Amino acid sequence: MILTVTLNTALDITYRVRSLRPHASHRVSEVTERPGGKGVNVARVLAALGHEVTVTGFTGGSTGRVVQELLASVPDVVDALVPITGATRRTIAVVDDRSGDTTQLNEPGPTVTPTEWSAFQEAYEDLLPSASAVALCGSLPPGVPVGAYAGLVRTARSAGIPVLLDTSGEPLRRGVAARPDIIKPNADELAELTGSHEPLRATQDARRRGARAVVTSLGAEGLLAASPEGRWRAAPPTLVRGNPTGAGDSAVAGLLSGLVEHLPWPDRLARATALSAATVQAPVAGEFDRGVYEEWLGRVTVTGEVSAA
């Protein structure tokens, strides 16, 4: 199974309005609720691709109960969330039907106590022996040490489990030093990590800082990857408009599924790019339009070079 870690789980609420205007009242045409947080979104996409997935992280309060109830209905996803006293956060996405743009509001999350953090670490170590790969995803809730991901990376590597890290800021900087197998920042997160706004140079610098492979999201322009096996650029065949929420999580699912299936890097990147585009076409995060995915999988352009070593 693939293990996804979401320390800051969420109840994702999506509102659709005809046109979003500041300082105005709006009639909501549709409301959807989904179990959320980056790792949960990754898990749902992996399950849809046919992989067995276990989700861990924190859950608490009435919102947390709703998240677990919704998660129970997702096939091939096992709930291993650790209970805490604080209430799971909510995220609000407001989709403007006229423009296609999305406005996102993210709550900070509950405060995690030292005892709760210790309980999670024990649960994580117990889950690792059954895992073929680990994804560490998203922000850290208050109370969790800023070096938490670095410790979780080291624990997975000590167990011989490949690990992908998808976070930002100081947790990413410290996590990279623990030598994860893959990191997947977007261009802004990568620039913050390395100080370089030139993506190719920044990916190489991130590898020197400790990441074995770096896959950078370039938004609508696709993905850029640097690994010991080579460097590649994957681009979708055309610009896609829609709700971008969760597109990066679907890319992570594509990379992880390709890793455990032992696909070559160009095939992993094509899958990740097609899934990302198909998620933009879906109404909510953690889902993708299968028709768009299957159509675009063979149309993604992957160019690059293989390392001599």
Side-chain angles (χ1 to χ4, degrees), residues 2-305:
I2 299 174
L3 177 64
T4 72
V5 175
T6 312
L7 296 178
N8 212 0
T9 52
L11 177 64
D12 287 344
I13 304 170
T14 302
Y15 294 140
R16 301 193 73 93
V17 299
R18 182 177 180 184
S19 178
L20 183 62
R21 304 181 309 280
H23 316 298
S25 296
H26 298 80
R27 186 176 297 278
V28 176
S29 61
E30 182 182 355
V31 181
T32 57
E33 292 185 342
R34 294 290 187 276
K38 293 179 71 64
V40 175
N41 293 336
V42 171
R44 290 171 60 200
V45 175
L46 283 169
L49 292 172
H51 290 273
E52 295 183 358
V53 193
T54 296
V55 171
T56 190
F58 295 112
T59 182
S62 58
T63 307
R65 287 193 293 274
V66 173
V67 167
Q68 292 186 284
E69 290 169 2
L70 294 171
L71 201 57
S73 66
V74 181
D76 298 318
V77 174
V78 175
D79 175 359
L81 294 169
V82 176
I84 59 174
T85 302
T88 296
R89 67 186 177 129
R90 297 163 298 177
T91 67
I92 310 296
V94 183
V95 179
D96 185 321
D97 285 334
R98 180 170 294 176
S99 68
D101 292 335
T102 301
T103 299
Q104 191 81 17
L105 303 173
N106 297 328
E107 295 180 357
T111 298
V112 176
T113 69
T115 300
E116 291 166 341
W117 173 235
S118 296
F120 169 79
Q121 290 175 286
E122 292 179 7
Y124 176 72
E125 292 180 14
D126 289 342
L127 290 165
L128 281 177
S130 301
S132 57
V134 176
L136 306 173
C137 303
S139 61
L140 299 179
V144 172
V146 70
Y149 281 137
L152 298 179
V153 169
R154 293 188 187 99
T155 301
R157 286 180 54 83
S158 296
I161 311 299
V163 56
L164 183 152
L165 177 62
D166 182 15
T167 188
S168 60
E170 187 65 12
L172 174 60
R173 189 184 71 80
R174 297 199 187 192
V176 166
R179 307 185 68 80
D181 294 87
I182 305 173
I183 63 170
K184 198 219 69 64
N186 61 34
D188 290 339
E189 292 163 349
L190 185 63
E192 182 182 5
L193 173 67
T194 64
S196 174
H197 290 272
E198 200 291 304
L200 183 57
R201 180 182 301 172
T203 56
Q204 298 290 65
D205 183 72
R207 289 197 63 220
R208 287 191 291 269
R209 290 169 184 258
R212 177 175 172 81
V214 181
V215 180
T216 307
S217 172
L218 304 176
E221 297 179 10
L223 299 172
L224 178 68
S227 78
E229 292 79 14
R231 297 181 297 183
W232 293 272
R233 173 78 174 268
T238 187
L239 180 66
V240 181
R241 293 190 63 85
N243 181 2
T245 307
D249 305 331
S250 291
V252 168
L255 295 171
L256 268 181
S257 61
L259 171 67
V260 300
E261 294 172 28
H262 307 290
L263 297 181
W265 269 102
D267 291 345
R268 298 186 204 179
L269 295 169
R271 178 181 290 182
T273 302
L275 280 170
S276 182
T279 299
V280 173
Q281 295 287 287
V284 293
E287 295 182 358
F288 63 93
D289 186 309
R290 189 170 291 275
V292 172
Y293 166 64
E294 293 175 352
E295 176 188 353
W296 280 36
L297 184 58
R299 298 177 59 199
V300 173
T301 301
V302 182
T303 57
E305 58 186 30

